[in-house]
Amino acid sequence: MLSIPLGLPEFKVIKQELLSYGYAIHVEKTETQERCPHCGFATSSVHDRRTRKVRDLAIFHQPVYLFVKVKRYRCWNCSQVFSASLESIQPNQHYTNRFCEYLYELCEGSTIQEVSRKHRIPYTTLERIYYSIASKKAKERQTAIEASSQEEMVLSLDEIAVKKGHQYETVLMDAKAGSVMGMHADRQCNSAIHLLSQNVLSKEMVQTVILDMWEPYHKAVRALFPSASIVIDKYHVVQKVTQALDQARKECSPLKKARYLLLKGCEKLRKDQRLRLDDILEEYPALSIAYYLKELFRDFYRTDGYNEAKERLEEWIQLAKQSPFASFQEAANTLERWKEPILSYFLCPYTNARIEGTNHKIKNIKRRAYGYRNLERFRLRVFLECTGNTTGSQAA
């Protein structure tokens, strides 16, 4: 039989054999003396011996089972009987610690069901192993994140749908570090306050918070961080304008298959697409006004400097209010209401791009498992898989 180092220094190999179900390796602990857990005295008096069958890492895709001869000692001082302690195997565990870590790593990026079927481990056993290790790693990672916190924090707050019927989870993210700091049920003001209070240690550290135009989030941030600068994500602002243009297009009933040409940036169109767009705008003069307003607003975000941006935004709002389209008038009223946090972008140029990308990853985690009945476990998965480089190494 091929000789391969076991890699467990506390054991010495007595015998190894190849059986129908895999490799069987008989081992024994090298230490011949143990310290009594009851009184602390060292003893070498063996009371009896028992054998534990423990699964270890596979060799050449063949399962490996360790048959560990466990000595039980009788203390000379207090006469208590106790088993020898093992570093690589937990008490009452049928798998080595390194095999449990290996199973945990396999479950990241996959499902417990898939790993259970592939390695022929009961689902409930693997589930218990995964979440016990995951809880420990989450505590370690949380401690590391708190220890490496910056002097100035930039937070992102957004929601993600977890079930049908408008059931949401609020996601809190450190925009600088790219780490998910926590999640909480629904997207109401009290939930956001609870999430921010639990996960942000110092209110003075928070300098900027990036939000969309959801009022409960703004109330929560103003309540907890009155001195922080609130920045409305520019994607959501531009989205309001493009939605207004799309609604104007729908009012031109004969006009079809032109949505892509109208919503796409003018500079990104091919020559034939520009010719087609010119024909559409010439045929529908009113629609050309809506298209002009959309392109004018895109120029607003290319502005350098707060004062010039403020002038352009106020000018755009007035033009949109005078347009013949109700959708643009409504968009103008919305932007006028949120004017200050929109303009804050030109003082603190942050966006919610990172959290939007992370939300996509969170949805993939949910889809991969076909949904989660236990939302605490879902949040734990998200925290472990979406914490980025915050602890010095890339999270799985």
Side-chain angles (χ1 to χ4, degrees):
M1 180 179 289
L2 183 63
S3 178
I4 297 176
L6 184 61
L8 298 174
E10 67 175 326
F11 294 125
K12 62 180 179 180
V13 178
I14 301 172
K15 183 178 67 172
Q16 54 182 327
E17 53 189 337
L18 179 60
L19 303 176
S20 59
Y21 56 81
Y23 291 103
I25 302 177
H26 297 261
V27 298
E28 187 177 19
K29 193 173 180 181
T30 55
E31 292 289 336
T32 58
Q33 193 177 58
E34 286 290 325
R35 192 167 294 278
C36 177
H38 303 284
C39 66
F41 276 78
T43 180
S44 58
S45 176
V46 179
H47 178 72
D48 62 14
R49 292 176 174 83
R50 299 181 179 183
T51 301
R52 289 177 62 184
K53 182 182 177 183
V54 181
R55 187 167 175 181
D56 196 20
L57 293 173
I59 298 177
F60 299 124
H61 304 290
Q62 289 290 332
V64 173
Y65 294 90
L66 302 182
F67 289 84
V68 185
K69 289 188 177 180
V70 182
K71 296 177 182 178
R72 297 211 310 160
Y73 294 88
R74 181 178 292 277
C75 180
W76 289 335
N77 182 58
C78 63
S79 300
Q80 292 288 335
V81 176
F82 61 92
S83 296
S85 60
L86 301 174
E87 294 179 2
S88 54
I89 306 170
Q90 295 297 321
N92 304 316
Q93 182 67 270
H94 297 285
Y95 306 93
T96 61
N97 294 341
R98 66 184 183 181
F99 186 63
C100 291
E101 285 283 344
Y102 173 69
L103 294 174
Y104 168 81
E105 291 173 3
L106 288 179
C107 290
E108 289 191 324
S110 182
T111 62
I112 295 176
Q113 182 71 38
E114 178 64 23
V115 177
S116 169
R117 183 167 52 247
K118 184 177 181 179
H119 291 270
R120 299 179 181 178
I121 299 173
Y123 178 87
T124 52
T125 301
L126 183 56
E127 183 182 43
R128 174 177 50 80
I129 290 172
Y130 174 81
Y131 284 108
S132 64
I133 296 176
S135 298
K136 294 177 183 177
K137 288 188 178 293
K139 290 179 182 178
E140 293 172 0
R141 193 162 296 178
Q142 183 65 42
T143 303
I145 291 173
E146 292 172 0
S148 62
S149 58
Q150 309 110 356
E151 294 181 359
E152 296 183 1
M153 292 186 68
V154 179
L155 302 180
S156 289
L157 205 62
D158 201 6
E159 77 280 346
I160 182 172
V162 291
K163 291 182 181 179
K164 290 184 178 179
H166 296 285
Q167 295 191 38
Y168 297 95
E169 287 274 314
T170 297
V171 182
L172 175 64
M173 186 174 185
D174 184 337
K176 279 188 175 180
S179 63
V180 171
M181 300 176 66
M183 296 174 64
H184 199 273
D186 68 56
R187 54 173 185 165
Q188 300 307 316
C189 180
N190 291 337
S191 298
I193 289 175
H194 178 79
L195 178 63
L196 291 165
S197 301
Q198 292 292 319
N199 293 278
V200 179
L201 299 178
S202 174
K203 296 180 180 179
E204 292 73 22
M205 292 169 57
V206 179
Q207 300 294 318
T208 307
V209 185
I210 313 163
L211 306 171
D212 56 17
M213 287 175 273
W214 180 244
E215 180 62 34
Y217 287 166
H218 287 259
K219 287 183 179 178
V221 171
R222 286 194 293 266
L224 290 177
F225 316 117
S227 61
S229 175
I230 297 177
V231 179
I232 290 184
D233 179 41
K234 76 173 186 178
Y235 167 79
H236 291 88
V237 181
V238 174
Q239 186 185 50
K240 287 287 182 185
V241 178
T242 55
Q243 286 175 347
L245 173 59
D246 197 41
Q247 186 61 39
R249 177 191 65 85
K250 292 177 182 178
E251 294 177 11
C252 302
S253 55
L255 183 59
K256 296 181 180 180
K257 298 182 180 181
R259 183 175 184 271
Y260 177 83
L261 295 175
L262 291 167
L263 299 186
K264 191 173 182 180
C266 179
E267 71 282 358
K268 297 179 182 179
L269 294 175
R270 300 192 307 269
K271 184 177 180 180
D272 60 318
Q273 292 175 330
R274 289 185 181 181
L275 293 174
R276 167 65 178 152
L277 179 61
D278 291 341
D279 292 340
I280 292 172
L281 297 180
E282 186 177 351
E283 186 177 356
Y284 299 93
L287 189 60
S288 64
I289 299 173
Y291 182 78
Y292 167 76
L293 287 171
K294 187 266 290 187
E295 288 296 320
L296 186 63
F297 191 81
R298 291 180 69 239
D299 290 337
F300 156 72
Y301 270 110
R302 301 190 186 103
T303 306
D304 293 328
Y306 179 88
N307 293 329
E308 184 181 352
K310 183 177 180 181
E311 292 177 4
R312 287 201 175 193
L313 180 59
E314 290 174 349
E315 179 186 358
W316 188 91
I317 289 172
Q318 294 303 319
L319 290 173
K321 285 183 176 180
Q322 296 169 12
S323 72
F325 298 103
S327 58
F328 273 96
Q329 295 168 11
E330 183 180 349
N333 291 331
T334 301
L335 268 56
E336 188 174 34
R337 179 187 174 193
W338 298 103
K339 183 171 66 173
E340 288 306 319
I342 290 173
L343 290 170
S344 295
Y345 170 79
F346 295 91
L347 300 175
C348 307
Y350 290 99
T351 69
N352 260 352
R354 268 191 162 178
I355 198 170
E356 293 293 346
T358 302
N359 282 352
H360 180 71
K361 188 174 182 179
I362 293 172
K363 290 177 183 178
N364 287 337
I365 293 171
K366 182 186 70 172
R367 293 189 190 105
R368 191 172 66 209
Y370 295 94
Y372 282 82
R373 287 175 292 183
N374 189 327
L375 288 179
E376 286 301 323
R377 289 185 170 180
F378 175 55
R379 293 166 189 159
L380 180 61
R381 275 262 190 172
V382 170
F383 178 73
L384 289 172
E385 296 191 32
C386 301
T387 50
N389 291 313
T390 55
T391 58
S393 60
Q394 178 67 32

